[in-house]
Structures are given as structure tokens and as C-alpha cells.
Amino acid sequence: MKTNKIVVCGGGGFIGGHLIADLLSKGQRDIRAVDLKPFDEWYQHFPQIENLQLDLQEKAACEEALEGAATVFNLAADMGGMGFIENNRALCMLSVLINTHLLMAAKKHGVQRFFYSSSACVYAADKQTSQDVVALRESDAYPAMPEDGYGWEKLFSERMCRHFREDFGITTRVARYHNVYGPQGTYDGGREKAPAAICRKVITAKLAGKPEIEIWGDGLQTRSFMYIDDCVYGTQAILASDILEPINLGSTELVTINQLVDMVEDIAGIKLKRTYNLKAPKGVRGRNSDNTLIKQYLKWEPNTPLREGMEKTYAWIYDEMAKGRADKAAPAMAKA
């Protein structure tokens, strides 16, 4: 039986919620969202579509989730910011069960297209030791030495997608996300990433009247950050494309963490005294996305200026904190 059903795994998460909102805006209605969290902890909840609370680490749950599916977006994973990743390696590795069981279910149910959200954490650590980083090309994932735990799981799951495509004919597509940020995401609780964490710290200082901030590391680490709208567009474009191998999906606008703090301070209209916690988790020294391939294939790359995206992110987090609604925006089991 022909079907057009779209299943978003991790649909209660940050990226999943924005993806579903975009699909609905384009007229898609046959959508099933699946997530581990209770519905009241989903970042965005859309009652007009089918919503399932399932543990996708379980094989039977994956078979239920993908029944009747034509297209699958696998955004589900047990993950968070650097503080979570470095202290929960086993939990991050267990996400391998999600993609494995979803691929098996996709084969069983005859899924037409399957998207897997990988990460820049798959890249070899020895190519990320300098703040003056050379942008990472897709080939830099091998010889393999990814982020311990989380990165290894992502790299293994990329290979699973490849072999299910080669051996079983499932059309799989893989994007390596580089630091996705934006409104309606986690900003406290330990799973938040740098842009949201810095917004929260600056807002806390402003609301409390204590002009000081703690920065993890020396602030010279370099990163690029991709706004959520670019992530959602790129994800759908990659799935619809003929790109067989994993491809970067990230911004090339490189900043130090100190520069990111400068930007948020300027947005907030405040200047803070900085202290540096050199013992805190800080990840690799430098990371940026080489977008040569995505520009070649799609004639496009993530292009939202960091300042523009951070202004929107700051405004949303400020409103949430000012209204005392942090519990709705920082669920305990954030996924993607």
C-alpha cells in the first residue's frame, strides 16, 4: 500500500519540534512524532498529528514507530552539551540501539528514505587540537579517532546506514550537524550547548544584578554554530538529494567562546566580569565546517549570521527565564 507518512524520531526534541513545524507549514499532515519523553516535556507538541511516546532503544518500539512509514528522520539520541557528553559516555553509546533497531524496522516495513543525524563529533581528535583550526572536510573522519562515547556511536551508526543502503537498498542519507542552536531549546539542566548556556548565564547575571560570568575553559576555543532554520532546511534538502556519503551541515562562521560572550553581552547591553574554569569540560580546541561539498551538491550552505540567530535565541531565553517557565524548556531527557 502506497504511503506518504513521515515519521520524526526524536520529534519531542529541539530539532525535531522545529522540523515538524516546518513540515506542517508546507502542508504535510501525515506525520507521526515519536519520543521517549512524556508529552508535557516535548519542546513543541502538535496535537493535529500522531504522537507516540516510545523507547526507541527497544526493537518492538521501533517496529511500531515505523509501521506504514515512507520517510523517516532519525533525530533521536541520548545527548546534550559538552558537560553531558564527557560525563555520560556509556549512555551516549547506547543510542546505537536506536539507529540499529530503526534501520531494521525500516527494512521490515519497506521505508523509502531514511535520514540519520550524525555529528561533527565523528571527526578525528588530532585534527581539532588548535584554535586556529582548518575547517573539517568529510574525509577527515578517517583514520577514525572521534569524540569518545558520543562520537564513536555516531560514526558507527553512519556505517550502519551505509551498509543498509548497500545491502538492503534502503535510501539512507546522513548529515553531520555542527552545533545547532536557536529558540525553543534547552538552556539549563546540564544538556544545553554553548550558545544557550551563555545566554542563560548573561541573563542570570542581568536579572540578579551580579555582573559576573563563569566561562568553561580559557575562552579561546573556536567553534561554528548553525541556526536551527538552516538545520531544518539542510536536513530536508540532504534527504531529498543524491548525496550518498555523510556530509557536513554547519556554518563556517568561526568564533571563539570569548567572542560569543562578547556578542551576547552586547545583545544584553551589559558587561560582565569573567572568570575561567579551566577544569570544566571544554571539548576539542577548535572545530569548523568545510562546506565545499554541500555547496557543490545543493548550491547552498547554512548562512544565517550568528549575530542574527543569537539575538533571536537570547530574546526567547530571556522571555522564558523572566516568566519563570524554565521547567517547560529544559526537560530531563532532551534528545536532538
Side-chain angles (χ1 to χ4, degrees), residues 90-143:
L91 287 179
C92 290
M93 288 293 287
L94 284 172
S95 291
V96 74
L97 295 172
I98 299 173
N99 198 57
T100 301
H101 289 146
L102 282 174
L103 283 169
M104 293 171 67
K107 176 177 177 287
K108 178 179 179 178
H109 291 306
V111 166
Q112 297 166 22
R113 285 189 173 255
F114 185 101
F115 175 87
Y116 177 65
S117 57
S118 187
S119 166
C121 289
V122 302
Y123 286 113
D126 64 1
K127 295 184 181 294
Q128 304 173 79
T129 57
S130 171
Q131 64 200 51
D132 301 316
V133 66
V134 175
L136 293 162
R137 298 167 299 176
E138 285 78 0
S139 59
D140 289 332
Y142 296 94

Side-chain angles (χ1 to χ4, degrees), residues 68-88:
T71 301
V72 175
F73 292 93
N74 179 16
L75 309 173
D78 203 352
M79 56 83 68
M82 191 50 58
F84 179 84
I85 289 173
E86 289 198 2
N87 293 304
N88 296 276

Side-chain angles (χ1 to χ4, degrees), residues 29-85:
R29 292 297 178 265
D30 194 0
I31 302 171
R32 176 185 295 147
V34 186
D35 206 285
L36 175 65
K37 299 182 290 295
F39 295 144
D40 62 358
E41 293 181 6
W42 287 27
Y43 288 66
Q44 299 184 65
H45 186 265
F46 303 92
Q48 67 269 44
I49 67 172
E50 182 183 5
N51 297 289
L52 298 179
Q53 184 188 352
L54 296 171
D55 183 354
L56 293 175
Q57 291 190 13
E58 303 292 334
K59 182 172 181 285
C62 290
E63 292 185 355
E64 179 182 350
L66 300 199
E67 185 174 1
T71 301
V72 175
F73 292 93
N74 179 16
L75 309 173
D78 203 352
M79 56 83 68
M82 191 50 58
F84 179 84
I85 289 173

Side-chain angles (χ1 to χ4, degrees), residues 1-45:
M1 182 179 296
K2 185 174 176 61
T3 176
N4 295 310
K5 186 179 294 295
I6 299 170
V7 178
V8 180
C9 301
F14 166 51
I15 298 174
H18 281 276
L19 174 61
I20 293 168
D22 188 67
L23 291 169
L24 288 169
S25 74
K26 294 175 178 175
Q28 298 287 350
R29 292 297 178 265
D30 194 0
I31 302 171
R32 176 185 295 147
V34 186
D35 206 285
L36 175 65
K37 299 182 290 295
F39 295 144
D40 62 358
E41 293 181 6
W42 287 27
Y43 288 66
Q44 299 184 65
H45 186 265

